[in-house]
Amino acid sequence: MTDQGSSRLISRRRLLKTGVAGFALTSAIGIAPRYIRPAHADTGLAPGMTGGPTGFAGAERYQYNPEMPEGRAIEGIKALKAAGKAPSKLVFQMSEGAIGQLTKSFPADAPTIQSVWEKETGIKIEIVGVASGNEFTKVMQDISTKGAAFDIYQVEWNRLGDLTEAGGLVNLDEYVAKYKPEWDDPKRGYTGGVQGVTLLNKYNGSHYAVSLDGDFQTWIYRKDLFENSKEQADFKAKFGRDLHFPETWDELTEVASFFHRPDKGLFGCTDLRNQGWGYTNWYQRYCSMAAPNKLLFDDHGKALINSPEGVKAAQGYVDGLKYHSPDAISWGWPEQYGNMASGNAAITCAFSNMPKFLDSAANAGSKVTGKLAAALPPGTRVNGKLIRRSVLWFNLMAMVSTQSKHPEAAYLFLQWLGGSRTFSWMSSNPAGYFDPFQLANFDDPLVQQSYHPYQVANIRETIKRAVPSINYAGASSYHKSLDDNLMAALTGNQTAEQAMAATAKAWDKVTRRIGEQNIVKAIQTSLPSWPTLVD
Amino acid sequence: MSKPSWGSEALRYALILLAVAIALIPILWMVSMAFKPVEEWTDAGRTLHWLPIHPTLDNFRFIFGGSTSKLIVSLDSTAGWPILASLLSATLGTVIAMVCGTLAAYGVSRFNAGGNLPLALLQLRIFPPMAVMIPVMIMWSFLGLVDTWYGLALIYGIVTLPFSFWLMKTFFDDMPRELEEAALVEGCSRFRVFHRITLPMMMAPFASAALLVFIFNWSDYLIALLLTTREWRTIPVYMASLSSSMTGQLYGAKAALGLIAAVPPVVLGLAIQRYLVRGLTFGALKQ
Amino acid sequence: MSVEAVKAPIAPVVVQAGDAEIRRLGLRLTLPAQLLLAFIVLFPLVMELYISFTDWTPLVGKNWVWAYRYWNDFDNYVEVLTNARLWGSIVRTFVVMIVCVPTELLLGLGIALLFTGDFFGKRFFYSILLMPMMVVPAVAGYMFFMLFQSGGPVNAILSALTGSQVAIAWLSHANLALAAVMIADIWQWTPLMFLILLAGLLGVPEDQLQMATLLGAGRWARLRHIVLPRISRILVIAVAIRTIEIFKIFDTLYIMTSGGPGDSTETISVYIYKVTMQDLEWSYVATIALFILVVLSAVAIPAIKRFGAAR
Amino acid sequence: MATISLQRLSKHFGTFSALHELDLQVRDQEFMALLGPSGCGKSTTMNLVAGGIDASAGKILFDGRDVTDVAMGRRGVGFVFQNYAIFTHMSVRDNLSFGLRMRRLHRTEVDRRVSAMADLLQLGPLLDQRASGLSVNILQRIAIGRSAIVEPAIFLLDEPLSNVDAAFRAIMRTELKSLQRQFKQTMIYVTHDQLEAMTMADRIAVMDGGVLQQVGTPLEVYNEPRNVFVAGFIGSPGMNLLEGRLYEEGGAIGVDLGVIGRQRLTEGKQAAAARRAGLADVLLGFRPEDITVDAGNPGALKMAVSFVERIGHRVVVHLDAGAQQVKMVARNGFAATLGAALPLHPQADRMRLFDKASGLAIGVE
């Protein structure tokens, strides 16, 4: 992994050299493109670049010129300004824990992303934080009360359908056509190219959002525990096999229970079990129960979850509690991260940024720095094949509010922010939880540095096995009933069977309300993005 | 009268001290938490410390924008604005409630006016605000009052109106009318009477009622949660945003802010102790 | 100390002034209040009545005036009457009421009785005991959220008392979470009962107690035959106030558990909040609101009137 | 049978001595009035007897049984407060039956005694009314009945008539007296109104400054005041007291009153006592009612009319000479012109002598 990274760096430098040679030549012939200014020492920009951060090692990787989406965005703003249609500021409603990535500099000697944008465009970005988990509520509040408090919303990807139907989001097709964000760039763009863009940014065939996140649930464990010879010996003695990260859900139960020592302040596993977040674990269990996937709906939009697989997944989800913190049911991910950080858990499943936060010298609060490792999700063996499924869920997106007076400027900011260069730089910043998801991000040395090669590699592999959760109209209702019923099962108010039956019933009701054909259409559009990889 | 024995006195003290302890422990815990550095916020799996081991003002610095090296989390806004928002909205809300409430109370108490007003106000008081918030949100958005301190103040004024009305009414009912009557016979205009005689006599009760109304407005969470989105979030709403991916819940910061939020009511409340009973019982009980 | 409830307004002060003038004056004085009241009652009533017959939700992206396009007759009303979660929250609210109000009453009365007569530090203790009810409920919510963590003070105290390592996950267990929020409410509002009842006790004439003693009444007999009857009205008022407040309970509880785990601490207000802000089923919420309004008008108001009349 | 005996009973509040070494015997079925100006210690005495407060020193005996340390609930004393302390939240019946219920008597017994008491007090028709808002004399009956029904050995009444208007007092007094006769109970009655004491009490204990001044039947305290305080306090107006010196002249003894004149004393135990006392400074006391005006008769005391008080059926004539004043009560026909000097003849056998120094009566044991 590391070798690979460094080799990439080398090749990159070589490439740059040739690039410089290139300019020399062209300028010599005297057909220097008008927009290329000679790289003055004071701008600190690499030759050929017109904007971007400067003043720190590797800054050139994040610089751009008007040939690139970021550059085009800046040019677009300049045009708007010239036409007097540019605002003096944009209000950006952000998920609280991500704000740092815009407002804190990384690396230390770098400018902040916010400052770079404001310097180049003169448009101030006013950031308003929302406690994570309340994004949708806050946005719907703004939409339904016509609060017009924000130009840009940031909501999890699953709500795209509902928010669009609510009329809260601007259709971005026009701007996308005009400014070419190149999200599908095969080298730098979204994983899965066009398919990826459709999956993340589009609803009903139109662009409504710009992805700023890569929330593929990844599994993290304490390598200091797993590699501890005594632990290994004890485990072998107990289960007659070697101690390694579980491949199947049944193994997970064994391993987690093995490490579960609440009296010593150590919990076997601390993946989420709370309202609103926990059910991603059910997703991973359920979808891994058939080759290549266990689907949620059949071709007629009928729910398939009231099935042996659904019940098994729910049961596993509930049984998992016994190797969790007794507080797990009320813990959101902040508590989860805190619990992992204080070294009180052996395994967890979390957003891909956990190593960035907890395996970081900068985080004085963390006791697990240098002790983490990543792994693929546990899976299910289906006739000899091991099916492992993660889930794409939450995934913060940025959208332009229909109440914004300056949708175009707002979009341009997002194209700039979500461009593969700016975003590589931003996602590497440990001051927030926006996660890398573009090809260019994974290759970036800074990302590698803060996410650690082991996790970057793991993310790549996990994405290949990630199923999309529901994000079409009705998603809120679908997930709510799943969530409520699973919670009822967790608290023992109903059995796994009852939970699945009730959920399936509720789902079919929602489907009827929204209209079978719409749902079927939505399901069909999302099917191609389901993984096919089996181990 | 009945001669208190030593034993019963001892028992009395024991029980009272127990009650006092129970009343204080949660508050003291918050105080202690407010002065704990990040590392001491959670004691999961470890022995619990009642007092900060390394007391610090970091939490207060933090919520007021001073960066603390320990927390790699940035606050989009400091506690300054929310505190201002709470102050402004609660104050104007109190003014609205007290002015309308007092006038109406005077009218009802002296001129038998208002018809069903007293009962209607009681009903308003009993009705759970959450149940009318949808129309309120729609009205407020229509009037452009969402996320403004005066919009918040308006709804506060309405919500606490029953309270100020009933309280002031009982005060007026108790007030001897002879003086007013005399003045009226003297030929003073009613306004002058109200202004020169009634109001001065009502100053103390009025002030105490106003302070209570202020405490109520200051304590609101639900309404602000629904009617403020950005600039004018009040303290409790803002508090919710004090959690971070780095350290989980920012217990210390919340405790610090909570401490600040707790001060005015406690101080004011103790200041008007002798009116508390009457106030908190809607003027139904007098001392 | 004397007691009064909703009482018929007193006759006008000055008789010689013309009735007309008085009426005009009274009208002017009450006008602002009347306007505010109308402002907050009329529109909401009409609007909620209207959308309660529809399926409208902000998710459809159209203004509520177009709600008739989503007309669904009485579905919402049926839903209100049949929705298990709604009724669960209602029942739960009453459970909280039935547990908290009497507990607060008894504790409050007990402490108030401790405060009869004079003793050193009375004023001081009194002030301290009033503090809990002055803490902003939301803040109290955060406070108790911390207190009830399994590694938190509550368990620490229990451990100290029982001598064994107590690690109860209060807020994660359905019933314990409910207990926790009740404890929080009792902590915060027993002082109110104490305050009111103490005021009541001080109003019981000393010579009557002395008389009862002379006639051979002991502590309990005095309490039962003299004190309680004399403060009965005050008890009613105190209980009424707490009942009403618990009926509306939201802040502390929502911050402690947001109604969770699951719906195990979901009270009426919390449920309505969730359906409003998370599920956005606004027409359904409007129906719930109307339902509550009807029930209140049918139950609470007559009760108040009767109480007012019986003075 | 119930006698009360207070032995050297004292009560101090800090340095203030509210009651000083009181010795008092109350006989069985006796109506004893504690009379004195406010602050004389009578209420303190009553509270000590009731057990409301603890004695600083001394003993309280009921029927010879020491009850000094018995809690008030168990002393079995009936008490009627100044304001009756009626349980206004109860019906009349519940008020009457309260004591019995506290003693856990059987219902039927309770009812029997309540109705008996109700008949006695003519409260029958009111039994089931709320006790609030009844007229004072009814309240007094309830108050007495409520205490009497438990048949207390002793009955204490604390100025029960003090907040009743004058017109009503007469009725109440007679009613109270008759009740006492019916109950045949030992009663201690505290009052500052000598009229009440005189009309109702078998004996009166006059108190002042926490000290018992005199105990005796109404007539005794009226006729034979032990000291100048009692002399001045009893009777309205009180006894006239003129300063003078004893003199002896031709076997006859008298008091020299200076400018007023000389008053000879008829032989008797007073004269004897006076002789024994030697020619000391004395106070000559005689009651305003016991003066006759007779110009014909020589040796009269000469005093000038300074003021005439006409109170309906009688006239109070104020006279003075030098620094000394005298009040005379005459029939209302009496004609007196201001400044006119009158010849006064105190009724010979009604004159009293007091030692000026000690203030004690001379010739009274």
Side-chain angles (χ1 to χ4, degrees):
Chain A
M1 205 56 224
T2 21
D3 319 343
Q4 201 185 349
S6 46
S7 64
R8 230 164 254 287
L9 275 174
I10 294 154
S11 62
R12 181 173 293 272
R13 283 201 205 83
R14 200 177 296 119
L15 186 121
L16 272 169
K17 275 212 210 71
T18 54
V20 177
F23 304 138
L25 189 65
T26 46
S27 46
I29 308 167
I31 43 166
R34 50 170 164 54
Y35 50 74
I36 300 185
R37 290 179 268 96
H40 291 308
D42 61 348
T43 68
L45 290 166
M49 295 301 156
T50 58
T54 55
F56 62 96
E60 72 280 356
R61 289 199 304 277
Y62 314 120
Q63 297 168 356
Y64 41 77
N65 62 42
E67 286 293 270
M68 307 168 180
E70 291 88 344
R72 266 198 299 280
I74 301 293
E75 295 303 316
I77 291 290
K78 288 185 180 142
L80 285 180
K81 283 184 118 64
K85 285 195 270 146
S88 58
K89 79 167 181 183
L90 292 168
V91 183
F92 187 5
Q93 176 246 292
M94 277 188 82
S95 186
E96 161 276 325
I99 296 167
Q101 283 167 294
L102 267 69
T103 58
K104 300 233 174 216
S105 41
F106 180 81
D109 49 358
T112 69
I113 288 189
Q114 191 176 11
S115 67
V116 171
W117 166 266
E118 289 177 354
K119 185 169 112 280
E120 293 189 18
T121 64
I123 296 176
K124 198 181 167 315
I125 298 296
E126 181 182 337
I127 299 170
V128 177
V130 174
S132 110
N134 296 348
E135 294 89 352
F136 176 66
T137 301
K138 271 290 166 194
V139 168
M140 274 316 296
Q141 192 180 348
D142 187 62
I143 294 173
S144 49
T145 62
K146 301 274 176 296
F150 317 101
D151 296 294
I152 304 170
Y153 298 134
Q154 186 180 71
V155 188
E156 66 265 31
W157 167 80
N158 304 75
R159 310 286 195 171
L160 203 49
D162 284 328
L163 288 179
T164 311
E165 294 299 336
L169 307 185
V170 173
N171 181 329
L172 305 174
D173 288 347
E174 170 198 347
Y175 306 133
V176 170
K178 185 170 167 191
Y179 297 104
K180 304 188 198 54
E182 296 176 18
W183 291 320
D184 53 1
D185 180 298
K187 287 201 193 47
R188 310 186 51 91
Y190 292 14
T191 355
V194 181
Q195 187 46 251
V197 177
T198 314
L199 173 66
L200 289 174
N201 293 4
K202 288 177 121 187
Y203 170 71
N204 244 342
S206 296
H207 296 82
Y208 284 98
V210 178
S211 174
L212 293 180
D213 206 350
D215 280 344
F216 307 91
Q217 294 292 313
T218 59
W219 288 74
I220 305 293
Y221 64 95
R222 291 273 301 284
K223 80 170 175 258
D224 58 323
L225 292 174
F226 276 75
E227 290 167 4
N228 175 306
S229 51
K230 178 174 182 317
E231 300 288 1
Q232 287 172 334
D234 294 355
F235 186 85
K236 180 124 191 167
K238 196 158 176 224
F239 298 98
R241 58 183 180 86
D242 292 329
L243 173 60
H244 57 68
F245 188 85
E247 285 197 331
T248 67
W249 297 107
D250 302 339
E251 287 180 29
L252 174 66
T253 311
E254 283 180 7
V255 177
S257 316
F258 170 73
F259 282 114
H260 190 58
R261 301 153 194 170
D263 48 333
K264 299 199 178 48
L266 180 67
F267 304 118
C269 188
T270 184
D271 65 318
L272 291 174
R273 283 293 186 279
N274 70 326
Q275 188 115 34
W277 306 81
Y279 57 84
T280 50
N281 178 270
W282 176 89
Y283 258 111
Q284 299 181 50
R285 290 172 181 269
Y286 176 80
C287 296
S288 73
M289 286 184 182
N293 299 294
K294 179 68 186 173
L295 297 176
L296 300 166
F297 299 93
D298 67 13
D299 305 347
H300 313 297
K302 194 114 185 51
L304 293 170
I305 56 174
N306 187 14
S307 56
E309 294 86 350
V311 173
K312 190 157 179 288
Q315 195 58 54
Y317 177 72
V318 173
D319 296 344
L321 263 184
K322 68 174 181 293
Y323 47 79
H324 276 71
S325 154
D327 289 330
I329 292 183
S330 65
W331 272 1
W333 61 264
E335 287 81 8
Q336 172 199 22
Y337 275 49
N339 179 241
M340 196 71 187
S342 49
N344 295 1
I347 307 174
T348 193
C349 173
F351 298 117
S352 51
N353 54 31
M354 183 174 262
K356 172 167 85 169
F357 292 145
L358 307 189
D359 192 353
S360 145
N363 182 356
S366 172
K367 296 200 170 28
V368 294
T369 309
K371 298 178 181 171
L372 296 184
L376 287 173
T380 315
R381 294 200 185 281
V382 180
N383 40 54
K385 295 253 176 295
L386 176 59
I387 317 291
R388 298 160 138 165
R389 292 295 175 248
S390 175
V391 60
L392 166 63
W393 179 81
F394 205 68
N395 205 78
L396 289 164
M397 314 286 288
M399 302 101 163
V400 179
S401 163
T402 44
Q403 299 178 72
S404 168
K405 308 245 175 336
H406 308 282
E408 189 162 3
Y411 166 79
L412 286 168
F413 171 65
L414 293 182
Q415 171 165 333
W416 178 83
L417 193 66
S420 59
R421 293 163 187 79
T422 321
F423 193 80
S424 295
W425 180 32
M426 178 163 76
S427 57
S428 70
N429 188 331
Y433 45 51
F434 287 153
D435 297 325
F437 66 101
Q438 301 157 329
L439 299 169
N441 309 150
F442 301 125
D443 300 338
D444 187 85
L446 274 183
V447 173
Q448 295 264 349
Q449 176 191 324
S450 37
Y451 278 75
H452 305 287
Y454 67 82
Q455 174 65 339
V456 175
N458 184 51
I459 297 172
R460 289 175 189 273
E461 287 307 303
T462 304
I463 292 178
K464 296 185 191 143
R465 296 171 175 79
V467 301
S469 51
I470 301 174
N471 82 320
Y472 26 87
S476 306
S477 311
Y478 286 121
H479 283 150
K480 170 171 164 282
S481 50
L482 175 62
D483 194 16
D484 290 348
N485 287 301
L486 283 178
M487 184 51 68
L490 276 179
T491 53
N493 294 348
Q494 61 175 307
T495 66
E497 290 79 1
Q498 293 166 323
M500 285 300 110
T503 311
K505 192 153 158 295
W507 281 18
D508 294 342
K509 194 167 162 226
V510 177
T511 309
R512 270 198 301 286
R513 193 182 78 203
I514 301 191
E516 277 85 351
Q517 67 285 5
N518 306 352
I519 295 300
V520 172
K521 183 157 154 286
I523 296 170
Q524 294 309 334
T525 42
S526 87
L527 265 184
S529 49
W530 283 60
T532 50
L533 181 63
V534 298
D535 303 292
Chain B
M1 44 163 284
S2 58
K3 321 172 190 69
S5 76
W6 183 89
S8 69
E9 278 305 281
L11 181 65
R12 177 212 290 260
Y13 270 103
L15 291 174
I16 288 179
L17 287 177
L18 177 66
V20 167
I22 293 172
L24 277 184
I25 286 174
I27 299 176
L28 293 181
W29 176 258
M30 179 171 73
V31 176
S32 144
M33 182 61 82
F35 294 96
K36 282 184 176 179
V38 186
E39 306 76 33
E40 300 175 28
W41 285 356
T42 52
D43 304 281
R46 275 168 279 119
T47 54
L48 169 131
H49 297 290
W50 287 101
L51 295 173
I53 306 166
H54 309 293
T56 168
L57 288 174
D58 280 357
N59 298 324
F60 293 91
R61 260 186 243 113
F62 175 67
I63 58 175
F64 286 108
S67 67
T68 65
S69 55
K70 303 279 182 0
L71 298 171
I72 310 182
V73 53
S74 76
L75 289 175
D76 51 299
S77 59
T78 64
W81 273 107
I83 290 174
L84 182 67
S86 286
L87 273 176
L88 287 177
S89 50
T91 309
L92 180 59
T94 309
V95 172
I96 295 174
M98 288 311 293
V99 169
C100 301
T102 309
L103 291 178
Y106 191 67
V108 171
S109 170
R110 289 292 189 271
F111 310 114
N112 194 359
N116 264 341
L117 186 65
L119 257 183
L121 285 175
L122 262 191
Q123 197 161 4
L124 178 61
R125 177 71 191 177
I126 297 173
F127 198 69
M130 186 58 231
V132 283
M133 280 320 280
I134 286 176
V136 167
M137 274 155 54
I138 286 173
M139 286 163 89
W140 260 236
S141 69
F142 179 75
L143 300 170
L145 293 175
V146 172
D147 198 24
T148 62
W149 64 274
Y150 42 89
L152 203 51
L154 177 57
I155 187 71
Y156 283 169
I158 295 172
V159 170
T160 42
L161 176 64
F163 182 82
S164 65
F165 167 80
W166 271 100
L167 200 43
M168 290 312 290
K169 178 176 174 304
T170 62
F171 281 128
F172 281 125
D173 292 350
D174 293 356
M175 177 183 154
R177 298 119 186 278
E178 292 69 17
L179 278 160
E180 294 177 28
E181 292 169 9
L184 281 166
V185 177
E186 299 294 318
C188 287
S189 78
R190 284 184 184 281
F191 173 76
R192 276 178 63 86
V193 174
F194 184 75
H195 176 256
R196 286 290 167 77
I197 294 164
T198 318
L199 271 191
M201 285 183 72
M202 279 288 146
M203 263 317 150
F206 183 87
S208 61
L211 289 182
L212 273 170
V213 171
F214 179 86
I215 293 179
F216 285 156
N217 293 338
W218 177 268
S219 304
D220 163 74
Y221 171 62
L222 175 59
I223 296 174
L225 182 64
L226 292 168
L227 286 184
T228 61
T229 46
R230 181 175 113 220
E231 283 176 58
W232 296 102
R233 286 176 300 174
T234 58
I235 295 173
V237 181
Y238 170 79
M239 225 183 217
S241 70
L242 290 178
S243 70
S244 130
S245 39
M246 306 302 295
T247 46
Q249 291 278 354
L250 299 177
Y251 291 116
K254 282 185 175 176
L257 186 54
L259 204 54
I260 295 172
V263 169
V266 173
V267 172
L268 296 181
L270 294 180
I272 53 171
Q273 259 184 28
R274 55 178 287 253
Y275 286 98
L276 274 182
V277 173
R278 190 189 191 126
L280 295 172
T281 55
F282 246 56
L285 305 183
K286 303 168 193 150
Q287 274 173 305
Chain C
M1 103 167 252
S2 84
V3 180
E4 85 152 29
V6 190
K7 71 175 183 186
I10 312 88
V13 178
V14 176
V15 190
Q16 59 265 36
D19 289 1
E21 186 202 346
I22 286 169
R23 220 172 290 109
R24 229 178 301 109
L25 255 161
L27 189 67
R28 268 198 229 111
L29 286 168
T30 51
L31 195 60
Q34 301 271 27
L35 287 179
L36 281 187
L37 194 61
F39 180 66
I40 207 61
V41 169
L42 293 183
F43 173 78
L45 211 57
V46 175
M47 187 257 182
E48 291 191 319
L49 192 61
Y50 170 43
I51 65 172
S52 71
F53 291 101
T54 73
D55 207 357
W56 179 81
T57 143
L59 284 175
V60 304
K62 295 195 184 52
N63 187 298
W64 64 276
V65 293
W66 309 116
Y68 64 84
R69 297 184 188 170
Y70 307 84
W71 199 265
N72 69 349
D73 301 330
F74 290 91
D75 291 9
N76 288 325
Y77 291 84
V78 176
E79 184 65 18
V80 165
L81 296 178
T82 56
N83 184 304
R85 205 162 147 208
L86 167 62
W87 286 96
S89 72
I90 292 176
V91 169
R92 206 168 290 109
T93 310
F94 280 98
V95 169
V96 175
M97 238 180 238
I98 291 162
V99 174
C100 289
V101 176
T103 316
E104 288 164 13
L105 182 67
L106 292 179
L107 287 177
L109 183 58
I111 304 176
L113 286 171
L114 290 175
F115 270 72
T116 52
D118 248 326
F119 57 91
F120 174 75
K122 181 174 183 175
R123 199 103 205 99
F124 175 71
F125 292 136
Y126 177 80
S127 304
I128 287 188
L129 284 177
L130 293 191
M131 280 188 181
M133 75 179 176
M134 295 169 186
V135 175
V136 176
V139 174
Y142 290 115
M143 242 163 52
F144 278 92
F145 178 80
M146 297 187 233
L147 290 167
F148 280 111
Q149 291 301 303
S150 66
V154 172
N155 283 344
I157 293 172
L158 290 180
S159 308
L161 293 179
T162 59
S164 61
Q165 182 60 34
V166 178
I168 304 170
W170 289 90
L171 300 180
S172 308
H173 182 287
N175 300 340
L176 290 178
L178 195 58
V181 298
M182 287 179 181
I183 291 172
D185 189 80
I186 291 168
W187 176 83
Q188 184 156 36
W189 295 113
T190 300
L192 177 62
M193 288 287 192
F194 160 67
L195 179 76
I196 296 175
L197 296 182
L198 182 56
L201 289 183
L202 298 182
V204 177
E206 189 59 31
D207 54 8
Q208 298 217 351
L209 292 168
Q210 204 161 359
M211 194 62 231
T213 319
L214 276 162
L215 290 169
R219 225 174 246 288
W220 290 115
R222 284 204 300 275
L223 185 62
R224 219 182 115 243
H225 296 288
I226 311 296
V227 176
L228 289 184
R230 287 214 158 256
I231 63 173
S232 59
R233 172 170 295 274
I234 296 168
L235 289 177
V236 173
I237 291 174
V239 168
I241 290 174
R242 280 312 300 149
T243 312
I244 292 170
E245 290 309 313
I246 289 185
F247 179 67
K248 303 190 286 186
I249 186 170
F250 180 85
D251 296 6
T252 317
L253 188 150
Y254 183 73
I255 286 171
M256 280 177 75
T257 65
S258 3
D263 57 1
S264 54
T265 56
E266 214 167 68
T267 58
I268 299 176
S269 290
V270 174
Y271 174 70
I272 297 181
Y273 174 81
K274 283 186 177 173
V275 182
T276 307
M277 298 312 293
Q278 290 167 13
D279 315 345
L280 297 129
E281 296 167 5
W282 285 16
S283 48
Y284 167 52
V285 172
T287 320
I288 300 177
L290 293 171
F291 175 71
I292 295 178
L293 183 65
V294 170
V295 173
L296 275 187
S297 320
V299 179
I301 298 311
I304 294 174
K305 282 199 173 127
R306 205 175 312 111
F307 181 72
R311 39 191 307 268
Chain D
M1 282 299 292
T3 67
I4 307 172
S5 127
L6 311 180
Q7 301 176 354
R8 310 179 60 83
L9 194 61
S10 301
K11 179 65 182 178
H12 316 291
F13 296 104
T15 55
F16 169 69
S17 161
L19 189 64
H20 182 67
E21 302 207 332
L22 171 69
D23 280 297
L24 184 65
Q25 312 302 323
V26 186
R27 304 188 196 103
D28 180 37
Q29 301 190 18
E30 182 174 39
F31 193 127
M32 166 74 75
L34 296 184
L35 178 63
S38 47
C40 70
K42 52 188 194 297
S43 298
T44 310
T45 313
M46 158 131 338
N47 279 319
L48 285 167
V49 175
I53 54 176
D54 296 340
S56 309
K59 275 206 174 70
I60 304 168
L61 287 78
F62 293 174
D63 290 333
R65 182 172 56 95
D66 186 340
V67 296
T68 318
D69 299 327
V70 177
M72 76 188 295
R74 293 198 205 75
R75 286 195 189 182
V77 294
F79 206 117
V80 174
F81 282 89
Q82 196 159 10
N83 57 0
Y84 308 130
I86 297 299
F87 304 141
T88 46
H89 59 282
M90 299 181 188
S91 67
V92 175
R93 180 190 301 280
D94 292 345
N95 268 278
L96 291 178
S97 63
F98 190 85
L100 300 175
R101 283 183 286 137
M102 288 307 111
R103 282 163 177 67
R104 303 237 150 49
L105 263 65
H106 190 277
R107 272 200 117 294
T108 56
E109 173 66 2
V110 173
D111 294 345
R112 191 182 62 70
R113 284 165 72 167
V114 168
S115 48
M117 180 59 67
D119 298 344
L120 188 66
L121 300 172
Q122 300 137 44
L123 290 172
L126 302 176
L127 267 184
D128 294 310
Q129 275 192 27
R130 249 168 150 274
S132 52
L134 294 170
S135 67
V136 250
N137 61 325
I138 301 292
L139 291 181
Q140 168 170 281
R141 283 191 229 156
I142 299 173
I144 293 169
R146 181 178 58 182
S147 295
I149 200 166
V150 298
E151 288 154 7
I154 294 140
F155 223 104
L156 308 175
L157 299 93
D158 185 2
E159 309 214 13
L161 303 186
S162 59
N163 45 14
V164 178
D165 56 86
F168 214 66
R169 277 193 197 148
I171 310 169
M172 306 274 283
R173 280 205 300 273
T174 45
E175 196 169 285
L176 198 53
K177 186 63 187 167
S178 63
L179 285 174
Q180 192 255 345
R181 289 212 191 78
Q182 289 163 326
F183 294 134
K184 300 195 171 44
Q185 257 158 340
T186 313
M187 283 199 186
I188 297 184
Y189 183 101
V190 165
T191 180
H192 61 274
D193 177 343
Q194 52 176 297
L195 189 59
E196 291 173 14
M198 291 292 197
T199 48
M200 295 188 284
D202 300 326
R203 285 197 303 158
I204 300 176
V206 184
M207 300 183 68
D208 182 44
V211 179
L212 179 62
Q213 303 292 331
Q214 180 175 2
V215 186
T217 64
L219 277 181
E220 280 167 7
V221 292
Y222 181 79
N223 294 332
E224 304 295 341
R226 275 183 163 257
N227 58 32
V228 286
F229 172 79
V230 178
F233 184 76
I234 303 289
S236 55
M239 186 178 270
N240 294 310
L241 295 167
L242 295 175
E243 296 185 3
R245 286 187 63 79
L246 281 178
Y247 73 89
E248 205 168 3
E249 196 176 67
I253 195 165
V255 183
D256 180 344
L257 299 165
V259 292
I260 300 173
R262 291 172 148 221
Q263 177 63 54
R264 306 193 62 237
L265 301 175
T266 46
E267 288 302 324
K269 60 182 196 307
Q270 285 217 9
R275 278 209 183 74
R276 253 176 276 117
L279 306 179
D281 291 339
V282 294
L283 292 170
L284 173 66
F286 49 89
R287 296 212 168 265
E289 308 85 288
D290 304 336
I291 306 173
T292 52
V293 178
D294 179 355
N297 190 334
L301 304 176
K302 298 268 184 305
M303 295 185 87
V305 177
S306 63
F307 175 61
V308 178
E309 220 180 326
R310 297 196 176 279
I311 47 173
H313 63 299
R314 299 180 313 169
V315 183
V316 178
V317 183
H318 298 239
L319 306 108
D320 57 16
Q324 313 218 63
Q325 282 109 11
V326 160
K327 291 200 185 90
M328 176 179 79
V329 174
R331 225 165 288 92
N332 70 349
F334 186 85
T337 48
L338 285 181
L342 296 180
L344 309 176
H345 291 278
Q347 212 172 307
D349 60 334
R350 310 286 283 143
M351 282 185 281
R352 300 286 177 266
L353 279 182
F354 300 90
D355 181 329
K356 190 178 175 200
S358 66
L360 289 175
I362 297 174
V364 178
E365 289 72 35

